[in-house]
Amino acid sequence: MSGDLPDYYFRVRENGAVVFRVDTENRQRRIDMEEIATVNINNGKIKPHGDRTLSPEEIALIDGWIAERQAVLAARDVDDILRAIDHMNFTTQWAQSKASDDALEAVTDPLLMAMHDLRSVLIRKKADRLMKDEAAE
């Protein structure tokens, strides 16, 4: 089994991870996990645990994990938005075909405000991108 285990384990937490070195080469043949660092994914900071000094290989490994994790989170963000688009379509169909007057009364104003806010942000961002593209040309 020890051949299947990674040398390092990243315990994901909300803003990054705790990094452990995995050790299976001990007298009890147990899996030991030694905490070596904490990682903040938002600012990229790596904080060694205690008085530990991270090796260049460990720093490179952690930097690689940060890049992979940021890519995963970015892909999830896009997927969440695509799901929101689907949900908006489902909401439209619900409002068109199934919603009662009371249900529509309960959701119309908050939904219209959220849609107005989203529309305003999207239009402003699109205009910024178009102006930036024009300036680049």
Side-chain angles (χ1 to χ4, degrees), residues 9-20 35-49 65 69-70 73 76:
Y9 172 72
F10 293 81
R11 180 194 300 153
V12 176
R13 58 186 206 180
E14 187 165 333
N15 63 345
V18 178
V19 185
F20 295 90
E35 184 176 338
I36 65 166
T38 57
V39 177
N40 184 316
I41 198 96
N42 298 327
N43 61 19
K45 288 190 179 179
I46 301 168
K47 182 179 174 190
H49 182 71
W65 180 87
R69 184 68 179 167
Q70 287 172 333
L73 294 174
R76 285 183 184 169

Side-chain angles (χ1 to χ4, degrees), residues 3 5 12 17 25 28 30 32 35 39-40 49 64 67-68 71 86-88 90-91 93 96 99 102 122 128 135 137:
L5 295 176
V12 176
E25 302 298 324
Q28 296 84 16
R30 295 188 330 206
D32 288 331
E35 184 176 338
V39 177
N40 184 316
H49 182 71
E68 287 177 19
D86 286 348
H87 202 79
M88 288 175 66
F90 296 148
T91 302
Q93 185 60 34
Q96 180 73 35
D102 288 342
L122 291 174
D128 290 348
E137 292 176 354

Side-chain angles (χ1 to χ4, degrees), residues 103-114:
L104 284 172
E105 188 62 34
V107 301
T108 296
D109 288 342
L111 189 54
L112 286 172
M113 289 301 296

Side-chain angles (χ1 to χ4, degrees), residues 80-99 104 107 111 115:
D80 287 346
I81 299 307
L82 293 172
R83 289 174 192 258
I85 293 167
D86 286 348
H87 202 79
M88 288 175 66
N89 286 314
F90 296 148
T91 302
T92 302
Q93 185 60 34
W94 169 82
Q96 180 73 35
S97 62
K98 297 179 187 176
L104 284 172
V107 301
L111 189 54
M115 290 168 47

Side-chain angles (χ1 to χ4, degrees), residues 51-66:
D51 295 334
R52 181 177 181 88
T53 301
L54 298 174
S55 72
E57 294 82 15
E58 289 171 330
I59 292 172
L61 177 84
I62 293 169
D63 284 339
W65 180 87
I66 290 172

